DNA sequence: CGCGGATTGATCGCGCACGATCTATCTTGT
DNA sequence: ACAAGATAGATCGTGCGCGATCAATCCGCG
C-alpha cells in the first residue's frame, strides 16, 4: 500500500501522547481492581483513603484539591466510603460550611491490608524503582503544564 | 515536624506514579474540552473519530480494540455519534453479527475542523516534540506491561 | 446590627467505563 | 444437516467525573 493517500494530517491513535496517557491510566485501574476488590475499594476510593491515611480529618475541599477533583465528584465518593463504614463526615463546629472527613477505626485498620499494594503495582509496571520515579516526575510536570494552560 | 511519626508505609499521593498518570489524564481531558466543544465532541468521541478518520468502516469490536475499551462502552458512544449525524451504524451483510461504523459526509468534514487540535495540545504540554514522543513511547510501554500482567 | 458578596458542600443531569448477562448469528464437528 | 460452542454487539446496573446550580454559612463594610 502507498505511504499516505492524501497528505493526511490525521495523527494515528498510537502516535498520540494523550492517547497513551489515557490508555495507560485505564490499564492501571484494571491492574488495581483485583488488588482493591478484597478491600472493598475502587481505585478513586483508594486514592481518597491514601490521602486520609496521610492526613486524617481533612475537609472535603482539601481532599478535592489533593486529588484535583470537584466537589461534585468527591461528595458522592465520600458518601460511599461512609456507607462502607470507613470514614465519618461531620460539619466543623467552628465553621459550619466545612465538612470534616475522619477515618473510622475500620478505615484506619484497612491501611495495613493495603500496605502490599504499591509493591504489586510497581512490579506490574515492569519498571525499576528509579525509572518509575523519573516517569512519575515527568507526568507530574506534564500535569502542571496542562493545568497552567487551563487558566485563561 | 519529625520526618515520619511511625515508620509510615503509606505513600503520599504525590509520590505515586499511578496517581500522576491519573491526574495527568484528567488534566489532558480538561485541556481538550474547550477545543472539542466547538466540534460537539467529547474526548472519547474524538478518539473514536480519530480512529475512523484513519480507517473508515471499522467494526465496533475493532474500534474497541484500538481504544482498549469494552463493547459496553463503545456501543453507547457510537450511538451518540450517530445521533449527532457523524457516523452510521449498519450490520455487515456478509456477517450479520458484525456492525460496521462508517463516517457520514458530516463526519468526514469534521476532520478539517479538528486539524489544528494536536498542535494546540502539544503546545499546552509545554514539551518539545521529541520529548513528547519519548514520553508517549514510555507510556505505551507502561500500558503494555500492565496489560500483560493482566492475563492471569 | 444587618445587608451583600464570598466560600463551602451538595445536588442534578449527562457522558464515560466496566463486569455480567443476553440475543443473534456464525462455525465446527459429526 | 444439525446440535454445540464460539463470536459480536447490545443491555443493565454501578461508580466515577464534570459543569451548572443551589443552599447554608461566614465575613466585611457601612
Amino acid at each position: 500500500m502507498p505511504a499516505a493517500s492524501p497528505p493526511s494530517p490525521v495523527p494515528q491513535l498510537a502516535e498520540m501522547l494523550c492517547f497513551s496517557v489515557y490508555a495507560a491510566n485505564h490499564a492501571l485501574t484494571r491492574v488495581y481492581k483485583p488488588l482493591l476488590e478484597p478491600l472493598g475499594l475502587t481505585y478513586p476510593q483508594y486514592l481518597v483513603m491514601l490521602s486520609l491515611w496521610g492526613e486524617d480529618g481533612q475537609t472535603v475541599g482539601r481532599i478535592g484539591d489533593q486529588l484535583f477533583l470537584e466537589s461534585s465528584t468527591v461528595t458522592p465518593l465520600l458518601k460511599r466510603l461512609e456507607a462502607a463504614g470507613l470514614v465519618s463526615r461531620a460539619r466543623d463546629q467552628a465553621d459550619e460550611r466545612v465538612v470534616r472527613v475522619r477515618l473510622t477505626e475500620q478505615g484506619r485498620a484497612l491501611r495495613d491490608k493495603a500496605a502490599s499494594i504499591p509493591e504489586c503495582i510497581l512490579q506490574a509496571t515492569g519498571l525499576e524503582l528509579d525509572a518509575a520515579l523519573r516517569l512519575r516526575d515527568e507526568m507530574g510536570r506534564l500535569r502542571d503544564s496542562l493545568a497552567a494552560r487551563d487558566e485563561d
Side-chain angles (χ1 to χ4, degrees), chain A residues 134-146:
Chain A
R134 202 177 37 69
L135 199 48
R136 176 205 63 185
D137 291 342
E138 290 191 83
M139 295 307 287
R141 279 194 294 275
L142 175 58
R143 197 217 69 84
D144 291 343
S145 296
L146 292 168

Side-chain angles (χ1 to χ4, degrees), chain A residues 6 19 33 35 37 40 49-50 59 66 70 75 78 103 109 113 132 138-139:
Chain A
F19 177 69
K33 174 161 295 214
L35 299 175
E37 205 138 310
M49 294 303 288
L50 269 182
T59 69
Q66 300 227 348
E70 306 298 317
T75 294
L78 288 172
L103 292 166
K113 291 193 238 174
E138 290 191 83
M139 295 307 287

Side-chain angles (χ1 to χ4, degrees), chain A residues 23-33 43 121 125:
Chain A
N25 184 51
H26 286 168
L28 267 170
T29 72
R30 282 171 203 147
V31 170
Y32 267 107
K33 174 161 295 214
Y43 178 53
I121 296 295
T125 63

